[in-house]
Amino acid sequence: MCAHVLVLGAGFGGLELTASLAERFGDDIEITLIDQNEHFVFGFSKLDVMFGKQTAEEVSHPYSRLCKPGVDFVRATILSIAPDTKQVVTDAGTYTGDYLVVALGADLDPAATPGLLEAGHEYYTNSGAFAVREVLDKFDGGRVVVGVASTPFKCPPAPSETALLLHEYLRARGLRERSEIALVMPLPTPVPPVPAASDALIAAFAERGIEWHPHRTISRLDPEKKELVFADDSTMAFDLFLGVPKHVVPPVVAASGMAVDGWIPVNALTLETTYSDVFAIGDVTSVGTAKAGVFSEGQAVVVADLIAARITSTDGSLNYDGNGICYVEFGSGSVARVDVTFAGGKPPFGSFETATEAISAEKDEFGASRLSRWIGNA
């Protein structure tokens, strides 16, 4: 009888996990991959749509094309998770596995910042980013504030990329001279683990006339006055606000009892939860890395190795090393690369490679290779 692996969430982690297990076992394993979405969208593609470089259709990759031995993709909404029995109830049926992997990512809670949706726009969901495309089309100049509501949040460089690409977009439309751009974050630097990356971004802000406001905590937005109100009661005016809402564990995970202090705790080396043969990877965990897809991908490789070892009654050979590579858009076709490691018990550390067109091509290959591996279409 084949082992049955339930994988909840078809993002970086869920897709890499299923690809790894299918590659190892073929039809000798039963994998059920569950996600409520119809398409996979790279996180970085949202900015391409926002700024008119690609359409929503071009960046949406249907899960219906996923065809791998042993893998059954189920589009469904997960209603409950019972980690002790590894049973998952969805609106498409109930599933019970020998192994359960939770890779559901982080949800957004715009309501946690009063006035955010009434006075501004969130662009961290696919639908939110795609809708901002039309908002920017109608924008005729003014003060734009890109603001992060709280930490942690997905893809830490993304707000900086947003400000830089917004500068490029407004300049191309002839609106930059009558517009202001400000970036507001609660963090001390744009990319705290890699000072060289932060220095390069801050220099790019200065060169482009983008205001940089670190250490600022947004309490609320005032829709009538069109102002941000900070924790110290100071304010900042805006004509257009593009916000990164508070991130939270998905409600179905919170209801499962798996989360502690907001996220699922796991063994930092194996990604095991406190439940037998139940794992969690990616943004839904408190493993200690940044919340970015590349870290979920690396964790999936380790979990796939460990599940394979248990199925074959052998020893797993991998431990998670906390390493990941992130690409950072600087505009004008140039992309930088950040290599960072989050190692348990040590401060995170990394390196930075200056933005070039060559790294932009490398980023394109990064995306194409993963599409080919995970879904089967380049």
Side-chain angles (χ1 to χ4, degrees):
M1 182 177 178
C2 294
H4 185 195
V5 182
L6 284 180
V7 183
L8 310 184
F12 268 64
L15 288 172
E16 175 58 35
L17 181 71
T18 56
S20 295
L21 289 174
E23 186 176 66
R24 172 76 178 265
F25 291 100
D27 288 323
D28 293 329
I29 195 171
E30 182 182 356
I31 304 168
T32 302
L33 174 62
I34 304 173
D35 197 287
Q36 65 181 350
N37 297 301
E38 184 178 359
H39 300 89
F40 171 73
V41 178
F42 284 108
F44 54 71
S45 294
K46 294 196 288 286
L47 294 180
D48 290 334
V49 175
M50 277 177 57
F51 295 110
K53 298 180 180 182
Q54 288 187 285
T55 66
E57 291 74 21
E58 288 173 329
V59 304
S60 300
H61 308 285
Y63 288 119
S64 59
R65 296 179 184 172
L66 196 159
C67 183
K68 293 189 176 296
V71 180
D72 179 30
F73 175 77
V74 177
R75 185 186 179 196
T77 298
I78 298 169
L79 304 177
S80 68
I81 303 169
D84 51 343
T85 60
K86 293 180 282 294
Q87 184 178 84
V88 176
V89 178
T90 78
D91 60 1
T94 298
Y95 301 86
T96 302
D98 300 303
Y99 303 91
L100 173 64
V101 183
V102 181
L104 289 170
D107 275 5
L108 304 184
D109 184 14
T113 306
L116 193 157
L117 292 182
E118 292 81 2
H121 306 271
E122 70 83 10
Y123 69 97
Y124 251 49
T125 61
N126 294 340
S127 59
F130 297 166
V132 168
R133 163 72 274 177
E134 297 182 12
V135 173
L136 290 174
D137 277 344
K138 298 174 182 177
F139 184 66
D140 195 38
R143 181 171 176 78
V144 187
V145 177
V146 179
V148 178
S150 67
T151 60
F153 59 94
K154 292 184 278 189
C155 193
S160 299
E161 293 178 300
T162 304
L164 294 172
L165 293 175
L166 180 62
H167 163 83
E168 181 179 57
Y169 171 83
L170 293 175
R171 187 176 61 179
R173 289 189 57 201
L175 299 173
R176 186 63 181 97
E177 289 187 359
R178 63 173 185 263
S179 297
E180 301 173 41
I181 302 172
L183 175 59
V184 175
M185 297 177 71
L187 297 174
T189 60
V191 187
V194 187
S198 292
D199 291 344
L201 286 167
I202 292 172
F205 299 156
E207 180 183 345
R208 293 159 176 79
I210 297 170
E211 299 174 21
W212 161 238
H213 299 273
H215 291 296
R216 302 308 304 271
T217 301
I218 300 171
S219 292
R220 60 186 176 89
L221 279 67
D222 188 323
E224 293 185 3
K225 294 182 179 180
K226 299 279 280 189
E227 289 181 340
L228 298 181
V229 181
F230 296 104
D232 61 2
D233 291 329
S234 63
T235 61
M236 179 182 291
F238 63 87
D239 296 299
L240 175 63
F241 179 76
L242 303 177
V244 180
K246 180 180 180 180
H247 287 41
V248 296
V249 71
V252 71
V253 174
S256 74
M258 299 181 71
V260 177
D261 295 329
W263 307 99
I264 300 177
V266 293
N267 181 305
L269 298 179
T270 65
L271 291 309
E272 295 176 90
T273 71
T274 57
Y275 299 89
S276 176
D277 292 327
V278 177
F279 305 82
I281 57 178
D283 297 349
V284 76
T285 73
S286 57
V287 69
T289 65
K291 293 191 181 299
V294 68
F295 296 105
S296 183
E297 178 185 356
Q299 293 160 23
V301 172
V302 172
V303 173
D305 178 74
L306 184 52
I307 290 176
R310 292 185 181 178
I311 291 173
T312 58
S313 299
T314 58
D315 293 328
S317 60
L318 299 179
N319 283 324
Y320 183 55
D321 62 7
N323 178 255
I325 292 175
C326 180
Y327 296 99
V328 185
E329 293 275 355
F330 273 70
S332 302
S334 293
V335 176
R337 183 173 57 231
V338 176
D339 189 323
V340 62
T341 298
F342 294 83
K346 302 178 182 177
F349 60 91
S351 61
F352 174 76
E353 189 165 343
T354 303
T356 63
E357 292 184 1
I359 298 177
S360 179
E362 179 184 309
K363 177 186 174 183
D364 291 340
E365 173 57 26
F366 172 92
S369 65
R370 278 148 182 80
L371 280 180
S372 178
R373 171 172 170 75
W374 294 342
I375 296 181
N377 62 308

